[in-house]
Amino acid sequence: MKAFLPFLLIPIIGMAGWGMASWVTPDETASVPTISAIDAPPSLGQPAVKPLTEGPVRVLMTALLPPAVPVKPEVPSIRQPLPEVAAILIHGSRRVAQIDGMSMVVGESRGVYRVAAIEPDRVLFVQTPPGSTRWVSVTDR
């Protein structure tokens, strides 16, 4: 019970302050301050001053935003070595190439390079971000 005694003081102090406020009269009435000038943001230009009888001044939100500057996304130049073609297997219409130790067909990707075509002695790679093409021959062992 003793631990809760400080918490009982909070409502008692609040009620005492409310009671004392009703006995004390304010010396002067509160007044709304008048504003003679407002510093407008530079994006608004020269604001037109209107009398207060016309109602509130409406400002578009786009006038308060910073100017839009188009940003071009930078495409990082990815420098990866060309994949190594170890072998090519052609059986009928099926073409498979062994590239960096993996069997790959047309359309599969290895890093930034995609296999575009497989011929009996070379493979065509297309680099995905720039779109450049490179032929890689079968390495002799």
Side-chain angles (χ1 to χ4, degrees), residues 9-78:
L9 290 176
I10 294 173
I12 292 171
I13 293 172
M15 293 297 284
W18 177 73
M20 290 180 70
S22 63
W23 286 336
V24 176
T25 59
D27 292 338
E28 57 185 56
T29 59
S31 64
V32 178
T34 58
I35 300 173
S36 60
I38 297 176
D39 292 335
S43 61
L44 287 178
Q46 191 68 8
V49 179
K50 293 184 177 182
L52 293 177
T53 57
E54 293 184 15
V57 177
R58 305 222 185 269
V59 178
L60 296 174
M61 287 300 296
T62 55
L64 301 175
L65 296 175
V69 178
V71 177
K72 293 182 181 178
E74 293 184 20
V75 178
S77 61
I78 301 170

Side-chain angles (χ1 to χ4, degrees), residues 25-141:
T25 59
D27 292 338
E28 57 185 56
T29 59
S31 64
V32 178
T34 58
I35 300 173
S36 60
I38 297 176
D39 292 335
S43 61
L44 287 178
Q46 191 68 8
V49 179
K50 293 184 177 182
L52 293 177
T53 57
E54 293 184 15
V57 177
R58 305 222 185 269
V59 178
L60 296 174
M61 287 300 296
T62 55
L64 301 175
L65 296 175
V69 178
V71 177
K72 293 182 181 178
E74 293 184 20
V75 178
S77 61
I78 301 170
R79 297 194 182 267
Q80 284 189 347
L82 283 171
E84 183 179 334
V85 180
I88 295 176
L89 173 66
I90 298 176
H91 184 263
S93 63
R94 184 174 171 104
R95 294 170 180 255
V96 180
Q98 185 178 9
I99 301 167
D100 288 339
M102 297 176 51
S103 298
M104 301 180 78
V105 296
V106 175
E108 292 183 346
S109 297
R110 175 81 174 146
V112 296
Y113 295 104
R114 183 178 53 84
V115 178
I118 298 175
E119 291 186 356
D121 59 340
R122 60 187 183 163
V123 176
L124 177 64
F125 290 101
V126 176
Q127 191 174 3
T128 49
S132 62
T133 59
R134 298 285 302 262
W135 284 102
V136 177
S137 300
V138 177
T139 56
D140 296 326
R141 298 228 173 213

